[in-house]
């Protein structure tokens, strides 16, 4: 046997190599010091053949190489390439990478904060910037050949996802689209849609990680593998991963308490249990890092789903005396940090916690979360990539695309707060987080370590680690700004057709097919149930209807009784006065409480649009446990009467723990001994109801009432009724999912027509102004400009008002009203809330619902004081102290205020208006100090 090729084979191979050398891919491959993977080659070849591509591959697999090939092709062909990313940090990172390769003259950057060489042939930008360019018909689109959409799976994002679909739908047909996505389970479905709206699109899916990932659980002093080594069962090649039996035994041992009689036996059991559990404790954070260091598993990213938890972890490591850098490493860290923070005024460093942050960095330890100053986060990223920071404690935002791979990823818990409740992380989230483990070209393997927690189920963890279900779901919804821009460009009819090509409608239409099949199966089932309930004595369907009517009437009376009790409870609450001592009958804060504020709105204040929308008193109380809480009607199912009266000191401050402690103590002394009065149950109204008596009489008189098989027939009739009800619901779902996006668009257009933003296919002057305002509260901003709400305001006052359009509190806390500037700003903010109330009423009339992701939320005044103080020139220390906000959050909200101020300056009327000029002044006043630090190096 010989491996030598025949002359014909050698000629064919030489011919193939020569053909490859003539492609654009050949010189591109030489730019890398490693060979390309098959999926990368396949995608690049499809691009060179003139096709669009969708590449779905795991984090860290190198799918951005396909995007870089699009850049290479554009430059070779003398065309432009726009490289879009979802977040500014990613844009900055990709800009730096491309500048390093092609030089600053050929690469530009456009984000909300920066504009660098915007006319370059290659421009990196956030996706929103490209969307705005498309709507504005920007000249920069001329000569555009390729658009790379990095992290395209962001179109699932509830708040920003629609932007990705807008771009994909509206890009000129001549542009080739390169879509780069994390591994999603419905890549083929997404590819089919891209094929429909963009033309020939190749779908390339790669499931294999470039660096193998090992899954572990750390319990006590021992690291357990999550899975047993893969084995070939029965020699059939069907390798399956089984959960490590040692972990299963640990879980069983922790959850099982042996039952033994007798005192001595119980003591022996407790001692045995104590010894067993001492082996499976959850190690502390410094302990985990020390263990990883000893095992050669650093650098590591530990995901903690809390900013405060990340900062606390760093402090714990410092107190434990952890040092992961030698003297040389410490020196290099200090040099880099001092160079990168040289532009920050020395006076601000102490306020920003610079010296504590630097000490941790010198030891090789850092936090990374959205509350940090952007410059600080970038320094952490740079030091981590250089190997000078070896342990990072981060929130999940770090998993979103930033190039910060580690050897090991640690998950403290498998539960996180999703904004409404603590919920288990999904398989998609687990994959995204652990995808950071394993550095290509550096590590032979990556490691994911989950810390043992009480009650952990190894099978559940194995399910997370072994499932690759991360479906891409469209979050596309039309907005007011989108509607006027579309109608302006395409007219109403064509706009409606365009929206029906969205991925959201594509998915909805596909789901209807399955529902239609279910309706057919249900109709067959109904025929069988109808036969089963047939009675020889009479019409059992009629008899079953009488039974249902009787049950419905009884339920209706029960509800009426509940409504009357709620009304009585609300009336009793309205009589409460500050200083009344009450007993809260139920709920989380049941027990003794002191009324601080009855919570009854006066007229149309407090954000209520009159009493039509008033949902009952919401008293603010101090509980005997020293908590100040605003209660709701649900906490008072029965009327409540004052037990006592107390004087509330004028000096009482609900934010002061000491104040709360003193008043709660006085409350317990005054009324702690008083027992609450028990509420007596009232007689049910069903006994005297004529309708119920009539239905019972008809039921007894019906022929089927005497059937010996009556209850058997009734069971079939109940099944028939349930299946009929389900079938009708399915039919309504089919009706509701057909043309859903277009119907929402119609309602938005109708409201805009009512407000004179649109007249058929014409966009009015007001509409053209709205077309320049992007954001969640676009229509509110436009109406404020239209009504002259901001005329005559000083720049700082205007900044305060605009903050209400962008800011959203991280936690809802209505116990204390937010502080707002006095004078013109206060009046303007009040008018903004009133205008929002009017718009909210209109949206209700036109069936535009916020619950469906459409419409205007209430403006949030929580950042108004901070924005006003900062724009007025106050020092950072004073502003942050009063705002009680991390520096990173403060900077982020300020930049969003600046962004909207810029939009307002462009959209404001040019004649006889001070708003445009003052908006520009407000931008200058806000863009200073810590807010102005450029994030581009």
């Amino acid at each position: 046997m010989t491996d030598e090729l025949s002359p014909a084979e050698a000629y064919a191979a030489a011919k193939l190599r020569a053909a490859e050398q003539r492609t654009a891919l050949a010189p591109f491959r030489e730019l890398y010091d490693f060979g390309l993977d098959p999926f990368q080659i396949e995608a690049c070849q499809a691009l060179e053949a003139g096709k669009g591509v969708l590449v779905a591959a795991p984090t860290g697999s190198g799918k951005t190489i396909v995007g870089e090939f699009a850049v290479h092709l554009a430059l070779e062909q003398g065309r432009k390439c726009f490289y879009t990313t979802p977040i500014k940090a990613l844009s900055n990172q990709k800009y730096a990478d491309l500048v390093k390769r092609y030089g600053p003259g050929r690469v530009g950057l456009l984000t909300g904060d920066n504009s660098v060489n915007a006319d370059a042939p290659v421009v990196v930008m956030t996706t929103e910037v490209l969307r705005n360019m498309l709507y504005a018909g920007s000249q920069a689109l001329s000569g555009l050949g390729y658009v790379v959409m990095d992290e395209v799976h962001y179109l699932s994002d509830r708040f920003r996802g629609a932007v990705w679909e807008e771009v994909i739908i509206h890009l000129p047909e001549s542009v080739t689209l390169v879509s780069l996505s994390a591994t999603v389970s419905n890549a083929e479905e997404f590819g089919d849609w891209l094929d429909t709206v963009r033309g020939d699109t190749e779908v390339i899916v790669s499931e294999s990680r470039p660096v193998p990932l090992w899954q572990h659980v750390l319990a006590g002093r021992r690291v357990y593998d999550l899975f047993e080594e893969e084995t070939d069962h029965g020699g059939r090649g069907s390798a399956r991963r089984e959960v490590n039996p040692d972990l299963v035994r640990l879980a069983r041992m922790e959850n099982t308490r042996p039952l033994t009689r007798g005192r001595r036996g119980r003591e022996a059991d407790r001692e045995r249990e104590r010894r067993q559990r001492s082996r499976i404790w959850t190690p502390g954070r410094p302990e985990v890092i020390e263990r990883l260091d000893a095992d050669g598993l650093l650098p590591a990213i530990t995901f903690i789903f809390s900013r405060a938890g990340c900062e606390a972890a760093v402090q714990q490591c410092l107190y434990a005396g952890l040092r992961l850098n030698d003297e040389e490493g410490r020196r290099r860290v200090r040099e880099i940090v001092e160079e990168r923070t040289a532009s920050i005024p020395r006076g601000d460093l102490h306020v920003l916690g610079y010296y504590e942050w630097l000490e941790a960095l010198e030891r090789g330890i850092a936090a990374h979360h959205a509350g940090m100053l952007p410059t600080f986060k970038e320094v952490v990223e740079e030091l981590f990539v250089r190997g000078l920071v070896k342990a990072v404690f981060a929130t999940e935002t770090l998993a979103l695309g930033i190039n910060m791979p580690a050897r090991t990823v640690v998950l403290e818990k498998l539960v996180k707060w999703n904004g409404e409740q603590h919920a288990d992380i999904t398989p998609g989230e687990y994959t995204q987080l652990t995808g950071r483990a394993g550095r290509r070209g550096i590590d032979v393997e990556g490691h994911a370590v989950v810390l043992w927690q009480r009650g952990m189920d190894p099978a559940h963890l194995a399910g997370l680690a072994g499932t690759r279900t991360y479906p891409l779901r469209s979050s596309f919804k039309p907005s007011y700004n989108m509607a006027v821009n579309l109608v302006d460009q395409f007219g109403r009819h064509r706009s409606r057709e365009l929206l029906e090509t969205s991925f959201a409608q594509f998915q909805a239409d596909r789901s209807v097919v399955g529902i239609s099949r279910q309706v057919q199966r249900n109709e067959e089932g109904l025929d069988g149930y109808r036969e089963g309930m047939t009675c020889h004595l009479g019409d059992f369907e009629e008899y079953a209807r009488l039974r249902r009517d009787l049950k419905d009437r009884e339920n209706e009376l029960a509800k009426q009784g509940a409504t009357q009790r709620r009304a009585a409870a609300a009336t009793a609450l309205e009589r409460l006065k500050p200083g009344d001592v009450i007993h809260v009958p139920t709920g989380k804060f049941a027990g003794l409480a002191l009324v601080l504020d009855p919570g009854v709105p006066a007229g149309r204040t407090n954000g209520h649009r009159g009493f039509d929308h008033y949902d009952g008193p919401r008293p603010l109380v101090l509980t005997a446990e020293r908590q100040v809480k605003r209660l709701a009607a649900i906490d008072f199912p029965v009327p409540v009467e004052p037990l006592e009266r107390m004087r509330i000191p004028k000096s009482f401050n609900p934010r002061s723990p000491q104040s709360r402690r003193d008043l709660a103590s006085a409350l317990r002394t005054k009324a702690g001994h008083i027992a609450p009065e028990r509420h007596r149950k009232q007689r049910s109204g069903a006994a005297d109801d004529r309708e119920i008596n009539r239905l019972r009489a008809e039921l007894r008189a019906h022929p089927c009432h005497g059937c010996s098989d009556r209850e058997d027939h009734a069971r079939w009739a109940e099944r028939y009724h349930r299946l009929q009800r389900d079938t009708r619901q399915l039919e309504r779902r089919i009706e509701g999912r057909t043309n859903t996006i277009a119907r929402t668009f119609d309602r938005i257009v109708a409201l805009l027509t009512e407000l004179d933003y649109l007249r058929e296919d014409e966009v009015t002057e007001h509409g053209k102004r709205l077309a320049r305002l992007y954001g969640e509260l676009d229509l509110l901003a436009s109406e404020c400009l239209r009504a002259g709400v901001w005329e005559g305001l000083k720049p700082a006052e205007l900044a305060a008002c605009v903050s209400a359009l962008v800011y959203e509190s991280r936690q809802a806390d209505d116990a204390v009203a937010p502080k707002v500037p006095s004078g013109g700003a206060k009046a303007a903010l009040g008018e903004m809330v009133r205008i929002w109330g009017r718009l909210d009423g209109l949206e209700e009339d036109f069936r535009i619902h916020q619950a469906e992701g459409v419409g205007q939320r209430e403006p949030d005044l929580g950042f108004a004081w901070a924005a006003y103080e900062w724009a007025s020139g106050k020092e950072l220390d004073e502003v942050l102290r009063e705002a009680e906000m991390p520096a990173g959050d403060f900077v982020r909200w300020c930049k969003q205020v600046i962004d909207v101020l810029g939009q307002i300056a462009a959209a404001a009327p040019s004649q006889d208006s001070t708003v445009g000029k003052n908006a520009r002044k407000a931008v200058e006043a806000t863009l200073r100090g810590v807010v102005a630090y450029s994030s581009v190096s």
Side-chain angles (χ1 to χ4, degrees):
M1 291 285 294
T2 177
D3 290 335
E4 286 185 17
L5 299 176
S6 69
E9 288 171 334
Y11 175 73
K15 194 173 178 182
L16 185 63
R17 282 196 301 274
E20 283 180 358
Q21 286 302 314
R22 289 194 294 272
T23 65
L25 182 56
F28 176 74
R29 291 172 77 161
E30 291 172 10
L31 297 172
Y32 299 90
D33 53 8
F34 54 84
L36 300 191
D37 291 338
F39 85 90
Q40 294 166 333
I41 294 169
E42 186 184 351
C44 291
Q45 286 173 341
L47 263 183
E48 193 166 2
K51 298 179 181 179
V53 294
L54 165 64
V55 182
T59 302
S61 60
K63 52 184 173 285
T64 53
I65 283 176
V66 182
E68 288 166 11
F69 182 61
V71 172
H72 179 83
L73 281 176
L75 291 173
E76 189 183 67
Q77 296 165 5
R79 302 167 80 191
K80 286 183 181 177
C81 177
F82 288 170
Y83 197 113
T84 72
T85 72
I87 51 179
K88 292 170 187 174
L90 261 179
S91 292
N92 297 333
Q93 200 170 69
K94 183 49 68 178
Y95 169 73
D97 292 345
L98 292 175
V99 164
K100 199 177 292 182
R101 174 172 294 173
Y102 298 110
R106 303 174 83 186
V107 183
L109 175 71
L110 281 174
T111 67
D113 303 336
N114 299 290
S115 176
V116 180
N117 197 16
D119 296 325
V122 177
V123 184
V124 183
M125 61 184 70
T126 47
T127 317
E128 279 85 354
V129 170
L130 178 53
R131 186 271 311 271
N132 298 352
M133 288 168 72
L134 286 166
Y135 280 149
S138 170
Q139 287 299 311
L141 296 169
S142 175
L144 182 62
Y146 297 87
V147 166
V148 180
M149 301 196 81
D150 204 353
E151 310 285 338
V152 75
H153 53 271
Y154 251 77
L155 67 75
S156 290
D157 185 82
R158 198 156 53 102
F159 302 106
R160 298 172 56 210
V163 177
W164 274 254
E165 288 190 52
E166 287 178 81
V167 169
I168 291 169
I169 291 170
H170 299 313
L171 273 175
E173 286 182 24
S174 58
V175 175
T176 302
L177 186 67
V178 181
S179 306
L180 308 178
S181 168
T183 309
V184 291
S185 53
N186 60 336
E188 288 76 14
E189 179 189 38
F190 186 48
D192 287 347
W193 175 67
L194 287 173
D195 214 51
T196 305
V197 293
R198 300 297 316 163
D200 199 358
T201 302
E202 192 87 14
V203 179
I204 292 112
V205 178
S206 172
E207 292 280 1
S208 61
R209 286 175 48 92
V211 179
L213 179 66
W214 291 87
Q215 312 270 356
H216 312 282
V217 174
L218 178 56
R221 294 185 179 85
R222 185 174 167 190
V223 177
Y224 295 84
D225 289 335
L226 174 58
F227 298 105
E228 283 190 298
E229 286 193 23
E230 295 186 14
T231 53
D232 189 339
H233 296 274
R236 295 186 302 273
S238 56
R240 289 196 307 126
R241 298 201 296 177
E242 300 288 349
V243 179
N244 187 341
D246 290 344
L247 277 178
V248 176
R249 276 194 294 273
L250 268 187
R252 196 182 299 126
M253 182 174 68
E254 187 188 57
N255 296 324
T256 306
R257 289 176 178 268
L259 296 173
T260 311
R261 293 181 182 179
R263 181 179 169 188
R264 188 171 298 173
R266 284 196 300 273
E267 286 177 359
D269 287 341
R270 277 197 292 270
E271 178 59 26
R272 189 181 304 110
E273 186 182 342
R274 187 187 64 75
R275 284 199 306 271
Q276 287 173 344
R277 294 201 173 180
S278 69
R279 294 162 47 197
I280 52 173
W281 39 270
T282 305
R285 289 157 177 166
E287 221 174 329
V288 172
I289 300 302
E290 284 178 330
R291 175 61 196 266
L292 295 177
D293 191 22
D295 290 353
L297 296 179
L298 294 181
I301 299 170
T302 302
F303 284 109
I304 302 172
F305 303 121
S306 146
R307 297 176 180 185
C310 293
E311 295 293 346
V314 172
Q315 291 304 314
Q316 288 159 14
C317 290
L318 293 181
Y319 294 150
L322 266 184
R323 296 179 189 277
L324 304 176
N325 279 338
D326 56 20
E327 276 305 315
E328 175 59 21
R330 290 170 66 89
R331 185 188 62 76
R332 287 179 62 205
V333 166
R334 184 173 282 273
E335 280 178 5
I336 292 167
V337 170
E338 288 177 351
E339 180 189 335
R340 291 298 307 275
T341 59
S343 59
I344 302 178
R346 297 296 100 183
D348 287 350
L349 293 180
H350 179 69
V351 182
L352 298 169
Y354 170 83
Y355 299 102
E356 297 85 350
W357 172 69
L358 176 59
E359 184 189 355
L361 290 179
E362 287 181 338
R363 295 190 187 196
I365 303 160
H368 189 288
H369 56 75
M372 291 172 65
L373 194 70
T375 305
F376 283 17
K377 277 199 298 183
E378 288 164 19
V379 169
V380 170
E381 291 160 15
E382 182 181 340
L383 293 176
F384 191 81
V385 170
R386 292 188 182 208
L388 294 170
V389 164
K390 298 178 176 66
V392 167
F393 299 94
T395 55
E396 70 270 28
T397 51
L398 188 144
L400 301 175
I402 296 191
N403 184 24
M404 221 173 128
R407 179 168 296 166
T408 304
V409 162
V410 179
L411 297 184
E412 280 203 343
K413 293 181 179 175
L414 300 175
V415 174
K416 72 168 189 172
W417 177 255
N418 64 8
E420 295 173 358
Q421 60 181 351
H422 285 94
D424 291 343
I425 64 173
T426 64
E429 288 168 333
Y430 184 89
T431 304
Q432 191 85 358
L433 295 167
T434 56
R436 293 268 154 224
R439 297 164 298 173
R440 186 169 191 169
I442 302 173
D443 298 322
V444 177
E445 57 195 27
H447 299 269
V449 178
V450 178
L451 301 192
W452 181 269
Q453 301 290 343
R454 292 206 63 172
M456 180 182 280
D457 178 6
H460 170 68
L461 174 56
L464 286 176
T467 307
R468 290 292 176 267
T469 53
Y470 180 51
L472 205 54
R473 293 277 172 260
S474 172
S475 59
F476 184 81
K477 294 287 186 301
S479 68
Y480 296 111
N481 170 278
M482 188 194 301
V484 291
N485 273 301
L486 284 174
V487 172
D488 193 32
Q489 279 194 304
F490 306 106
R492 189 182 297 192
H493 179 70
R494 174 75 180 120
S495 298
R496 202 175 189 275
E497 287 179 345
L498 273 172
L499 290 174
E500 287 186 323
T501 66
S502 68
F503 187 45
Q505 193 59 60
F506 186 83
Q507 287 190 311
D509 291 345
R510 281 200 165 188
S511 67
V512 163
V513 176
I515 299 172
S516 298
R517 290 196 190 114
Q518 185 61 49
V519 167
Q520 289 172 354
R521 285 194 293 269
N522 285 5
E523 284 170 349
E524 291 167 9
L526 285 171
D527 292 340
Y529 289 164
R530 193 181 291 110
E531 192 178 325
M533 70 177 183
T534 303
C535 178
H536 66 288
L537 295 177
D539 183 354
F540 202 88
E541 194 170 342
E542 182 184 63
Y543 180 74
R545 190 162 53 249
L546 283 172
R547 284 174 67 136
R548 279 199 307 278
D549 290 346
L550 177 60
K551 186 179 177 182
D552 291 345
R553 180 60 183 164
E554 288 171 345
N555 289 341
E556 184 186 347
L557 286 176
K559 282 181 185 173
Q560 285 177 7
T563 303
Q564 288 165 3
R565 286 194 296 276
R566 281 198 299 273
T571 304
L573 287 175
E574 285 173 355
R575 291 197 294 264
L576 293 178
K577 296 180 178 64
D580 281 345
V581 176
I582 60 172
H583 187 276
V584 181
T586 187
K588 190 176 176 182
F589 306 104
L592 203 60
L594 173 65
V595 178
L596 302 175
D597 169 29
V600 180
R604 294 173 178 265
T605 59
N606 297 345
H608 294 280
R609 296 193 316 280
F611 288 93
D612 291 344
H613 300 272
Y614 172 51
D615 59 354
R618 298 196 61 207
L620 182 70
V621 302
L622 170 72
T623 70
E625 283 73 40
R626 309 191 299 275
Q627 292 175 298
V628 172
K629 292 291 173 185
R630 186 148 322 256
L631 304 180
I634 197 169
D635 296 305
F636 298 94
V638 295
V640 64
E641 296 295 332
L643 306 174
E644 263 288 1
R645 289 275 304 157
M646 274 183 66
R647 190 180 69 82
I648 302 171
K650 287 184 179 178
S651 60
F652 176 71
N653 178 3
R655 286 188 168 183
S656 162
Q658 184 62 48
S659 230
R660 294 199 303 267
R661 192 179 299 117
D662 292 345
L663 192 56
S665 176
L667 169 65
R668 289 192 296 271
T669 304
K670 179 87 173 176
H673 60 284
I674 303 175
E677 190 177 323
R678 291 177 65 86
H679 189 76
R680 294 179 183 176
K681 241 186 167 182
Q682 295 181 339
R683 170 185 166 88
S684 168
D688 307 320
D689 186 70
R690 287 185 180 181
E691 180 67 10
I692 282 185
N693 291 333
R694 182 186 68 78
L695 288 168
R696 284 174 178 164
E698 282 189 34
L699 207 62
R700 286 193 290 269
H702 198 283
C704 293
H705 193 67
C707 178
S708 57
D709 295 325
R710 183 185 67 196
E711 291 310 310
D712 192 36
H713 293 328
R715 278 192 291 275
W716 284 108
E718 182 59 29
R719 289 172 191 162
Y720 178 86
H721 172 66
R722 276 203 303 267
L723 188 60
Q724 189 179 53
R725 186 186 59 208
D726 292 347
T727 306
R728 284 174 183 159
Q729 282 179 349
L730 289 173
E731 287 169 342
R732 281 196 294 273
R733 279 173 65 190
I734 290 173
E735 187 183 333
R737 290 188 184 191
T738 309
N739 304 321
T740 47
I741 303 295
R743 280 206 304 274
T744 304
F745 174 73
D746 290 341
R747 294 198 287 268
I748 285 173
V749 165
L751 188 149
L752 290 173
T753 303
E754 174 79 11
L755 291 174
D756 195 36
Y757 283 88
L758 295 173
R759 294 177 196 152
E760 293 300 327
D761 281 354
E762 180 198 347
V763 178
T764 66
E765 202 57 43
H766 302 308
K768 290 187 188 301
R769 181 177 55 244
L770 174 58
R772 300 171 121 182
L773 296 169
Y774 301 93
E776 205 179 348
L777 297 182
D778 47 7
L779 185 57
L780 176 59
S782 181
E783 284 293 283
C784 288
L785 280 171
R786 182 181 189 173
V789 172
W790 300 324
E791 290 292 344
L793 292 182
K794 296 171 185 171
E797 292 174 330
L798 182 56
C801 290
V802 168
S803 76
L805 300 174
V806 298
Y807 180 71
E808 282 188 85
S809 306
R810 293 190 75 221
Q811 294 176 331
D813 182 12
D814 55 355
V816 182
K819 186 176 181 179
V820 297
S822 57
K826 187 173 185 178
L829 285 165
E831 187 59 30
M832 286 171 69
V833 173
R834 278 189 285 278
I835 290 173
W836 168 79
R838 178 170 58 80
L839 292 178
D840 195 37
L842 268 175
E843 288 180 339
E844 206 167 289
D845 294 341
F846 284 88
R847 293 180 297 122
I848 295 168
H849 305 297
Q850 288 179 50
E852 296 173 3
V854 188
Q856 309 278 281
R857 63 165 175 83
E858 185 173 2
D860 192 325
L861 314 186
F863 193 63
W865 181 252
Y868 174 77
E869 290 277 274
W870 181 250
S872 298
K874 290 288 173 69
E875 291 296 321
L876 180 66
D877 188 12
E878 185 180 346
V879 176
L880 289 183
R881 189 171 61 249
E882 289 198 39
E884 296 181 341
M885 182 180 287
D889 285 344
F890 173 74
V891 169
R892 189 171 75 257
W893 290 122
C894 280
K895 288 190 173 182
Q896 289 192 32
V897 168
I898 287 167
D899 185 32
V900 176
L901 281 168
Q903 294 174 26
I904 288 168
S910 54
Q911 293 181 342
D912 305 322
S913 172
T914 60
V915 176
K917 181 175 67 177
N918 285 337
R920 285 184 284 274
K921 286 182 179 177
V923 168
E924 291 171 11
T926 308
L927 191 62
R928 66 180 179 89
V930 72
V931 180
Y933 304 152
S934 175
S935 53
V936 183
S937 50

